[in-house]
Amino acid sequence: MDSRESTTSRTDDAGVEIPYQRFRPKRYQPRMSIFWWIHKKVYLRFIIRELTSVFVAIYAVILIVKLNALLRGPESWEVMTAALATPFSIVLHVIILLFVVYHSITWFLLAPTATVVRLGRKRIPDSAIIAVNFLMWLVLSVAVGWIILAV
Amino acid sequence: MESVTLQVLRYLPEEKSEPFYQDYDVPFQKKWVILDALNYIKDHVDGTLTYRWSCRMGVCGSCGMMVNDQPVLTCETFLETYLPGPIRIAPLSYFAVIRDLVVNTDDFLGKVKRAKPWLITDELKPVTEGEYRQTPDELKEYKQYSMCINCMLCYSACPIVGLDPEFVGPAAVALAQRYNYDSRDDGHGQRNKILMDDDGIYSCTLVGECSVVCPKAVDPAGAIQRYKVTGAVEWWKSVVMPWKSDK
Amino acid sequence: MTRYGPDEHDVLIVGGGGAGLRAAIAVAEANPKLKIAVISKVYPMRSHTVSAEGGSAAVIKSNDSLDEHAYDTISGSDWLCDQNAVEEFVNEAPKELLQLEHWGCPWSREPDGSISVRSFGGMKIKRTWYAADKTGFHMLHTLFQTTMKYDRIHRYDEYFVTSLMVDDGRCQGVVAIELTTGKINAIAARSVILCTGGCGRVFPYTTNANIKSGDGMALAYRAGVPMKDMEFVQYHPTGLPFTGILITEAARAEGGYLLNKDGYRYLQDYDLGKPEPKPVLRSMELGPRDRLSQAFEKEHEKGQTIEGPFGPFVHLDIKHLGEDVINEKIPFVRELCLKYENIDPVKEYIPVRPVVHYMMGGIHTDIHGATPLEGLYAAGEAACVSINGANRLGSNSLTECLVFGARAGKAAAENASQGKSFSRNLEAIAMDEGRRIEKAYLSNRSGKTKNSESIVTIREEMHQAMKDGAGIFRTEKSLKESQNAIQELQDRLLRTSIGDTSYTFNTELTSAMELSYMLDVAEAVIQSALKRDESRGSHQRSDHPGRDDDKFLVHSLAYKTEKDLPRIDYLPVTITRWPPGERIYGR
């Protein structure tokens, strides 16, 4: 048993010294590159999902600004609606709509992962939970649409 | 198909400071899994190639590796799937490498232990009084989460584990949930703190790959999401009804 | 700080499987002051207990009795077990399985929430507890997770034990290599419990994991402790042909048929009863494993098995059970068949053949798990108490791990509580051991290359020798030939040094040491088999058919000798209430 800690002074092919100490091997800790998400499709999809959620946030901000304008009175509301009618704003809103729809779909598809619903002793299948979510979405959208168009 | 090339990422701490790829040609056999090919190399080509394996029936959880960038159990992954090759084999991602395909497991087990994966009961029932009753339906509640073989594939599939090494991780949460959903257990309150802390479940951004790579269909992603709901409800309860919140 | 610093323990358990972890908890509960450690060459959850499938036997239902369990076990063992040990075993079995239930084991249940039991080979009453068909997996993980509760249980994960430290006539610890660093450590302990499992890897086709190389058996054997009943090797009748992967007996317990090449349930020709559509206990496919494996060999001689690229096989048919029963009761069987044979047992036959599964023999212990060497204990497959005699019944071994793991733990705790001090020269013993390993395996390190013959060749030749000479049927001639082969291989291994000279995780070194363990175990198996001129249970001598109770109602004890063949002694079998009789199945 050689318990003395002798250091080898070897170098590797590139001439770099290997810091090996007997009985104390260095572990190799791989580093993650900042572009880790590019190499794998699933990660890329995940990053797209994460990044595009910014648009959902933007819409939330717009909504708050709108409410604020409404509270300040008719004049500021006029300015607000004028700003919303610009081509830039319309394009932005179309983009936001697309991503919100995308996020709603991914959200509803994941819903059964987090929710386990039981009817008596039977667990409701995932597909049913997804279906109910989409149905509610449709019903609410129709209701909101009806209110807006009726007014 | 006569032979197939395996490109194995090797790390020899006594000889080189960085890992490097080494190519090995192995004869192709239809019956062979990746592990059989590695054993062929070890036995007939290069005895220094180092990796872990034991049961070769997909239940001991030793032989997880990255095969073409995907974490798999090499004892149940057939060579044939990857023809014509070359097949790239690397140690499980994000873990510190000890040598070649052998990674450090201690960190993972520490996380598992933090989740208190054992039965916690308020009152100890003496063994002489017989079994705790548990109906097949109650068993079904947690059975899926009890199937974890600690193979660590889910950690290698999770970029959050890579970005935040302190993240408790998929398997540990699944094991916590395995006991949380057990009708015999009263330990939820004790596990709550660990799961809800900074390195707990809210680090998870639901990439979902942990459940995809799990060889035993444990669905750790589901376990985490379910706990997020539970955790949120618990938090609101503690705000609205502080006198009723868990210890 | 003591002389050995942190490497000094009261009880050290070698092996982190079912028996080892159960022993660790037993020690922790027996005396809260004791320092406990579990040392294993793998992380505990990788231990081979994980692969056990069918179940674990214990009397729990009102239609059953301890005597029935005892009788089934004793007749199954061909009367070679010690009946006092069996009585203790069946008595403590229910308590142990309930204890595991209280630790959270997910046992399968009846609709009312009580424990569910299934039938098993050689058992007259349903008494096998199960967790679907991953019983061993769930038991091991329950135990492992439970040990995490105890901070006092220190773990040496991935330490390879190279020898026992014996001084002053008692075992005082082990010498072990820390795999990640290559450092050789002296780990002192007042009691050492060997729970290292069996050595199925001595044979080529086995259900056993790669780690099962008889390490503990060889460690004890080298320290002068006798190996008991080593000639009794269990072949499991249903393994997958290429991989040797186990298809659990539960597949037959649920109603599976064994069919020869003509689709005929051939077991009816071997005094195992008449074929019925539903499974009948202690009959046909639910006969004991030795008889079923022997029937396969005879059927093969008659040319009625099917020839495959990996040898002959027969068919296991579970199609008629239906998809629901298969998914509910034996899902792992389906998973394994789909994954490894690309067949779906819901629609197709499963090809199966007998494969080496279990060693009935092992380190000689008393009913407390104590070996003749002071301070050394053993439990589980590594040990031979004996409750298994000449043939173990399926589902008794998981229970054995618990019952005798706990008993050995208690006995070891008691011994350690005396607080005897350690010898002064343990460190010197470890230094000597380090030099021995260096010289025996690593002379390449210093450039003094010996013979560079590959250990793989030696291992393959050992497999061939054991298969040819010590299979299901043996003769004096076949055994002699194997004996010569094994002796030659032992010599060749001595002259070989390995290529990998690294200190870090040197698995070529551990493989070479495992091979030397296996050769020692093989030597004991062959010599014990050679000296037993009778046929009993799993030991079938074609040149000595028939049981000979006058001469051989005794345990064989194999002692290692310096240079010669092992010395065989005999120890009478303990009979309490069941005098030797005929083994009757299906009648």
Side-chain angles (χ1 to χ4, degrees), chain C residues 562-580:
Chain C
E562 196 56 45
K563 282 252 151 63
D564 212 356
L565 292 167
R567 174 170 61 86
I568 304 292
D569 262 3
Y570 294 102
L571 187 74
V573 167
T574 307
I575 309 267
T576 58
R577 293 190 278 143
W578 294 272

Side-chain angles (χ1 to χ4, degrees), chain B residues 19-237:
Chain B
F20 59 97
Y21 275 103
Q22 187 164 345
D23 286 6
Y24 298 102
D25 289 333
V26 297
F28 170 75
Q29 294 211 30
K30 206 175 151 55
K31 278 253 171 195
W32 274 9
V33 290
I34 299 279
L35 180 63
D36 290 319
L38 291 173
N39 283 340
Y40 176 85
I41 297 169
K42 177 102 184 151
D43 286 352
H44 302 289
V45 184
D46 182 353
T48 67
L49 183 66
T50 304
Y51 50 94
R52 295 187 180 108
W53 72 286
S54 181
C55 79
R56 56 88 182 83
M57 57 191 278
V59 69
C60 80
S62 306
C63 68
M65 296 169 205
M66 304 299 287
V67 176
N68 284 357
D69 280 338
Q70 192 71 0
V72 296
L73 291 180
T74 50
C75 74
E76 55 176 41
T77 307
F78 283 83
L79 268 186
E80 199 180 13
T81 326
Y82 298 92
L83 289 185
I87 307 171
R88 219 168 41 257
I89 297 171
L92 282 178
S93 291
Y94 314 133
F95 290 96
V97 184
I98 294 168
R99 177 180 172 179
D100 290 351
L101 300 161
V102 175
V103 298
N104 176 26
T105 309
D106 293 334
D107 183 53
F108 163 78
L109 278 182
K111 289 173 177 176
V112 168
K113 187 177 172 177
R114 257 163 62 197
K116 301 196 181 222
W118 51 80
L119 204 70
I120 299 170
T121 48
D122 289 342
E123 277 169 59
L124 261 185
K125 177 172 165 172
V127 168
T128 45
E129 282 177 26
E131 72 265 44
Y132 290 95
R133 293 292 170 120
Q134 184 168 66
T135 64
D137 286 329
E138 286 170 328
L139 174 65
K140 222 181 250 171
E141 278 297 292
Y142 69 90
K143 189 72 194 275
Q144 180 180 24
Y145 301 137
S146 76
M147 303 305 275
C148 173
I149 60 171
N150 298 0
C151 66
M152 317 195 293
L153 300 192
C154 53
Y155 284 67
S156 284
C158 174
I160 310 303
V161 168
L163 294 165
D164 171 14
E166 292 304 308
F167 172 44
V168 64
V173 179
L175 282 168
Q177 291 284 63
R178 174 250 176 272
Y179 285 96
N180 282 341
Y181 286 113
D182 191 321
S183 58
R184 298 165 289 185
D185 184 84
D186 306 309
H188 169 258
Q190 292 188 37
R191 292 182 202 104
N192 186 35
K193 282 189 214 81
I194 300 126
L195 297 178
M196 298 283 280
D197 80 3
D198 288 349
D199 305 315
I201 48 162
Y202 289 107
S203 293
C204 165
T205 53
L206 193 43
V207 180
E209 274 297 283
C210 54
S211 292
V212 175
V213 303
C214 177
K216 298 290 147 188
V218 171
D219 189 15
I224 298 175
Q225 303 328 303
R226 286 181 72 182
Y227 204 82
K228 283 181 185 170
V229 176
T230 312
V233 170
E234 290 289 321
W235 185 81
W236 276 107
K237 260 205 236 162

